[in-house]
Every structure is written in C-alpha cells, then in structure tokens.
Amino acid sequence: MPVLENHLETSSFSKIAHAVENFNFSMQPREIGLVISVSTGIATVSGLPNVGFEELLQFQNGLFGIAYNLDEDEVGVILLGKNSLLKAGDEVERTGRVMDIPVGNGLIGRVINPLGQSLDNKGSVHYEKRLPIERPAHAIMNRSAVSVPLQTGIKVIDALIPIGRGQRELILGDRQTGKTAIAIDTILNQHDKNVICIYCAIGQRASAVAKVIANLQEKGAMEYTVVLAAEGNDSPGIKYIAPYAATSIAEYFMEKGKDVLIVYDDLTHHARAYRELSLLLRRPPGREAFPGDIFYIHSRLLERATHLNDKLKGGSITALPIIETEAQNISSYIPTNLISITDGQIYLSPKLFELGVLPAVDVGKSVSRVGGKAQLAAYRSIARLKLEFAQFEELETFARFGTRLDENTGKTIEHGKRIRECLKQEELQQLTASEQILVLLSLKEGLLDSIPIEKIKMAENSLLKNSKTIPSEIQKRIISNEKLSDEDSKMILKFAEEILAPFQEKPNSNHN
Ligand SMILES: Nc1ncnc2c1ncn2[C@@H]1O[C@H](COP(=O)(O)OP(=O)(O)O)[C@@H](O)[C@H]1O
Ligand SMILES: [Mg+2]
C-alpha cells in the first residue's frame, strides 16, 4: 500500500504544480439574463443591458432566440424552436453574433431546416462557411439589367409573361390553383440550364412538402436543388427566418457567379408568422392586424434578388415568391404589397382552373415588367399572340349574349379559342424553346384555325412528337437568342403544315 500511495503522490503533485505554474488568470465576462415570461413563440427576458438588435441568444436548455424588442429593462425574444422546455427564471446568455446559416456546395441535394440542420437523414450538412441570414442587398451600382431569359418550360409564361434571370416575379392565386405546380415545373426545367435552385417551404403541411421533394427527387432535380423547409407546425420564429436563411444560401452561389432560382412557397404564411410574433411582442397592429413594418420585411427580402454586374462575376438570383389570395381578392393588404415590390405577377384564376384551362394563368391580370427584354429573340415572331388573345377574351364576353357576329369577329373568336387550347399544358411536361416556337408559330399563322377544336390537342401532340424534324441549325439559333429569319419561319411552317395535314377539316367531306 505505501508504495502505491507514494507513487500517486509524486505523479499527481507534479501535475498539479505544473498546472498552477502555467495557469493564466483571465476574466471572461459573460452577460447572463433571466427569463421573465414565456408564451407561444416568444419569451421576455431581463438583465442583458448590452444586447444588440437581432443578436442571437442561447437559453440554458440549448434553445436559441433572436433579441427582437429592445426595451429599457427587458428584451422580447423570438424563439427558434419549441418553447415547452423553457420556464420563467431560466438563464439566457448573449452569444455576441447574429443568426447565421451554413452555406456551400455541400448543401446541394439536401433538405434542411432554417437552422441549417438536416431533415433528410443523410447526416450533418457539409458546408464551407456560415453567412448571416440578414444581409444588406447589393448596392445599385453593383447591379446590371436583366438580360438572360429564365425559361420555365411553360408556354403561356415563356411566350406571354417571360421571366428573366435576376427578376422577381410574383405567383399569386387562391389555394389549389396550381401555384406550386408552376414553381416546381420551373425548377425541373432548369436541369440543363446551369441554374441552381432553392425551394423554400414556409408554413405548409409536411405532406405537401414531402410531395414536392418526392417530385424533385424522381425527376433528378435534387442534383442542383436545395430544399429549405419550415413546416406548418414549426414555431413562428422558425417560419419567420426561413426565407432570409434561404436567400443567404442563394447569395453564396450568386456571389460565386452562378445563376440561382429561389422559390418562396409561400409568403402569406411568412406574413402570418410575423404577425403572430408582432402581436405577441405587443407591437401595435395595423391594417388586417399586420404590424407597421410588414412591407419592409418583404421588400428587404426581395431586394436581395438581383443580377450582379460582370465585375462581381455576373451571377443572379431570380425570385419567385408565392402568395395565396382569399376569394380571388388580389387587392387585399399582403398581395398589393407584394405586387408593388416585385417586377410583375402571374395570376392564377380558380375559374379557369375549374374550366380545365391549366395552367390557370389569367393572361389579362398577369404581367412581366422586365422579362420582355430578356426573352429569346425567336419569341418576337409570335408576339402578336398576346394581343390576339386579349381581343378574343373581350369579344368572347359579348358573344355570350348571343349577338350575331360578323365574319371577322367570328374568325377572331375561333382563332382565340385555339390559342387558349394551345396554351393549356399538363404539369411536369416542360417544353423546350424550339418546341414552343413550333406550336405557337403554327398557331399564330393560322395553321390550326381549320382544325376542329376537339382535335387541337392531338394536333399539337403530333407537332411536338415530330419537333426533332426542325433543322438543328434553326433550333440552335433559337436557343442562342437569334431572331428567326423569314426563311427559318417558312421552313418551320412547311414542316408544321405537313404534320398537321391529317387533322385539317376537309371542306367538302359531307358530300364525299
Ligand atoms: N398544369 C396542370 N395540369 C394538371 N394538373 C395541375 C396543373 N397545375 C396544377 N395541377 C394540379 O392542381 C392541384 C393544385 O396544384 P398546386 O400547385 O398544389 O396548387 P397551389 O399550390 O396553388 O395550392 C394539384 O393537384 C396539381 O396536381
Ligand atoms: Mg402550394
């Protein structure tokens, strides 16, 4: 025994002596506060005199929060997680930094939450660095005009309401009108376009998000897509930070010179989460009980989408925010705010949806304010379609009263009906620019006018099936943004005429 004791003594004494010798006395100030009260999604804390606005705070159970209301002797904190474990009297500590999110190439193909944690059982996320979720938008002088199209693969959008890279185009409509479908089609269509996509789900049912992810996986789109999801049952704080976090991920890629497409599905739920937080933090409610800064939370988000100039590597973020209207009321508070912030909107009408006109885009109420300049030049040869369609919609209303129509009006109406038929498109069936031009040019030149309306879809499918017969030089010219020459148009129409011949109504067929 004594031998052992001796041995212990010498070795541990020397260690302790060594430690005492090398001990540097330094004080590390830590600012710790106490929780005063907790309610759904927020907490009030006291005792953090130096806390900064939007500083990240950590509670003793590990939960994080954002300091959001700084009063003289208390701080209102947005909680980033479930508050069930938090109670009055708990300690809370400053972290000295703002909320951030991991960014990097490792995020591509992953499904994460707004805290950067994996939701896809593929282990932790590999990232390059962390970026704050709130970053100032690029200065005006860093930006350049929208000049490259973002093809959605959807005829009615690419031809009539074109979107450019760096544009912000709102998609709005009542529930179940196909808003998500348009956004997903657009993501799927980027498979060969060198565009990184980010789908940010905010406040949707988990089953709806799962369906979107399954679609993206099945079509191979996860190879260039990041999904960031804040589900319906997440705390309002998590839903509130989701789009900002997603945008920081997008900015990482944009600042590397990449083109990025980001979908916010949807900002109605985002506005509601923010309203919930503001009311709980006792901020004064305004119109529809939204707080005074509801416009600002969306404008500062969407201002971050832009096209950078070549000095900054020329990357871009195209934003497709989605808004759900109620009873087709596009003049309520949040939709009008968003309409004024964005560069145009695609309005989906439940009436058209019921009539089976899918995608249910109401062309008259939709607009793209900057995309026209970026549209592929070949679409110029079918620019008249929009006007013809507008005339048709106006005349159609009159025609319903049973008015006798002169020959010309009748023709315009028959032509318009065929335009509507041709603009219909199933979801998940994106078309290339050449395929669209083939159909729409035939349409515009009246090749479909003598085909009975019920055969139009068959005729269109036949055109699409044979679209490879268009000479590849013409197809290349279309994609490389060259105008169609008269010869090109003639050549395309010659092909179309042959393909469409079997569908044409024979004038004297009754007498044969
Ligand atoms: N172009 C389309 N063709 C056929 N079905 C469509 C089309 N667009 C949407 N749908 C269907 O309509 C339903 C509602 O679409 P969804 O995109 O979920 O609506 P929202 O996001 O507006 O609530 C879905 O079942 C979807 O499959
Ligand atoms: Mg949806």
Side-chain angles (χ1 to χ4, degrees):
M1 274 306 272
V3 177
L4 187 66
E5 239 165 44
N6 248 346
H7 173 74
L8 233 180
E9 254 166 34
T10 45
S11 84
S12 50
F13 266 132
S14 72
K15 268 190 196 154
I16 291 170
H18 186 75
V20 169
E21 231 166 66
N22 287 303
F23 182 69
N24 266 335
F25 189 73
S26 75
M27 287 226 279
Q28 291 255 328
R30 285 168 63 209
E31 225 175 275
I32 291 182
L34 291 180
V35 175
I36 304 175
S37 68
V38 183
S39 45
T40 325
I42 67 143
T44 327
V45 308
S46 69
L48 295 172
N50 297 314
V51 68
F53 179 57
E54 293 190 349
E55 184 174 332
L56 195 65
L57 304 177
Q58 188 167 26
F59 294 89
Q60 69 182 47
N61 62 4
L63 184 68
F64 283 99
I66 298 177
Y68 216 75
N69 256 14
L70 305 185
D71 289 334
E72 221 166 308
D73 41 25
E74 59 177 45
V75 179
V77 182
I78 295 178
L79 299 176
L80 301 177
K82 297 270 180 294
N83 57 351
S84 52
L85 296 172
L86 209 59
K87 56 186 187 310
D90 276 359
E91 282 186 358
V92 54
E93 194 178 338
R94 285 182 58 192
T95 62
R97 57 190 177 99
V98 290
M99 179 63 199
D100 53 18
I101 179 95
V103 298
N105 285 330
L107 270 73
I108 294 176
R110 302 299 303 267
V111 183
I112 58 171
N113 69 11
L115 302 173
Q117 294 156 341
S118 124
L119 295 177
D120 54 8
N121 303 326
K122 285 190 193 160
S124 58
V125 178
H126 295 290
Y127 64 95
E128 197 184 305
K129 57 179 178 181
R130 302 184 73 95
L131 283 181
I133 61 166
E134 295 268 9
R135 302 177 77 218
H138 275 275
I140 300 173
M141 297 313 288
N142 292 347
R143 302 174 179 228
S144 66
V146 169
S147 57
V148 181
L150 184 108
Q151 290 286 121
T152 62
I154 302 169
K155 278 171 288 183
V156 59
I157 299 179
D158 290 343
L160 305 183
I161 320 151
I163 302 174
R165 295 188 184 181
Q167 184 174 347
R168 299 153 304 168
E169 182 81 3
L170 179 66
I171 301 176
L172 82 166
D174 282 12
R175 54 183 296 278
Q176 291 289 307
T177 48
K179 303 184 294 299
T180 305
I182 287 188
I184 297 307
D185 274 355
T186 309
I187 291 180
L188 295 179
N189 198 47
Q190 306 310 314
H191 66 98
D192 57 350
K193 309 264 186 319
N194 209 4
V195 174
I196 292 173
C197 301
I198 297 176
Y199 179 77
C200 174
I202 310 162
Q204 298 184 44
R205 282 169 292 118
S207 59
V209 182
K211 193 181 140 200
V212 168
I213 296 171
N215 253 340
L216 293 177
Q217 267 164 350
E218 192 187 317
K219 308 275 172 196
M222 285 308 281
E223 276 163 36
Y224 54 88
T225 303
V226 183
V227 176
L228 186 143
E231 287 161 15
N233 62 351
D234 277 328
S235 70
I238 293 281
K239 284 185 237 174
Y240 168 62
I241 64 167
Y244 303 103
T247 309
S248 290
I249 298 172
E251 279 173 340
Y252 165 81
F253 292 116
M254 171 175 74
E255 284 158 13
K256 288 246 181 286
K258 301 262 169 56
D259 288 313
V260 185
L261 165 70
I262 185 163
V263 175
Y264 305 105
D265 195 1
D266 60 49
L267 290 185
T268 310
H269 284 107
H270 182 247
R272 284 188 195 141
Y274 189 62
R275 172 168 66 185
E276 206 173 315
L277 291 169
S278 298
L279 291 174
L280 288 163
L281 289 168
R282 296 180 198 285
R283 292 185 173 190
R287 186 173 157 192
E288 291 177 26
F290 284 107
D293 58 349
I294 191 79
F295 184 86
Y296 177 60
I297 68 159
H298 286 150
S299 62
R300 75 166 188 258
L301 172 72
L302 292 167
E303 269 304 310
R304 292 166 70 182
T306 185
H307 179 199
L308 293 180
N309 63 24
D310 288 338
K311 267 190 229 147
L312 293 169
K313 300 184 193 158
S316 70
I317 296 180
T318 311
L320 296 181
I322 297 180
I323 281 284
E324 185 176 289
T325 50
E326 271 168 35
Q328 303 174 55
N329 185 3
I330 56 173
S331 53
S332 66
Y333 193 27
I334 301 298
T336 44
N337 275 355
L338 262 298
I339 286 173
S340 70
I341 293 169
T342 48
D343 308 306
Q345 75 270 353
I346 294 171
Y347 177 64
L348 299 176
S349 143
K351 282 196 193 121
L352 291 176
F353 194 95
E354 273 165 30
L355 291 171
V357 180
L358 288 172
V361 176
D362 184 331
V363 177
K365 286 186 182 152
S366 303
V367 62
S368 171
R369 292 191 195 100
V370 297
K373 293 183 204 91
Q375 195 178 31
L376 290 179
Y379 283 96
R380 243 164 263 161
S381 54
I382 49 154
R384 266 188 64 83
L385 277 183
K386 186 160 187 174
L387 184 69
E388 290 173 351
F389 193 57
Q391 284 172 342
F392 154 70
E393 286 196 314
E394 210 168 289
L395 286 174
E396 198 190 23
T397 329
F398 277 117
R400 280 208 203 103
F401 298 122
T403 8
R404 265 185 61 104
L405 302 170
D406 62 80
E407 199 181 331
N408 261 341
T409 316
K411 263 190 191 155
T412 312
I413 289 185
E414 285 307 309
H415 185 58
K417 280 185 183 162
R418 282 156 182 81
I419 300 180
R420 177 182 287 157
E421 204 57 31
C422 267
L423 290 178
K424 288 183 186 172
Q425 192 170 336
E426 284 283 307
E427 61 180 331
L428 308 179
Q429 306 209 338
Q430 306 86 37
L431 299 178
T432 64
S434 319
E435 287 170 333
Q436 296 185 20
I437 297 286
L438 172 62
V439 173
L440 298 176
L441 194 63
S442 318
L443 179 66
K444 189 207 124 204
E445 292 296 329
L447 293 188
L448 295 158
D449 287 355
S450 47
I451 296 178
I453 199 95
E454 61 281 359
K455 282 193 191 161
I456 292 283
K457 264 291 131 187
M458 273 194 308
E460 186 194 346
N461 286 338
S462 176
L463 273 178
L464 291 175
K465 231 191 292 162
N466 294 298
S467 64
K468 297 278 178 300
T469 51
I470 305 179
S472 58
E473 314 93 70
I474 299 187
Q475 298 200 32
K476 262 188 216 138
R477 279 206 283 278
I478 291 177
I479 296 169
S480 56
N481 201 9
E482 273 178 54
K483 243 182 115 178
L484 282 188
S485 65
D486 286 347
E487 278 100 81
D488 288 345
S489 302
K490 268 188 207 138
M491 181 92 93
I492 294 177
L493 288 170
K494 209 178 103 225
F495 278 113
E497 245 167 63
E498 274 170 33
I499 300 163
L500 291 175
F503 299 95
Q504 303 288 354
E505 206 166 42
K506 292 175 196 73
N508 295 324
S509 53
N510 294 349
H511 306 292
N512 293 346

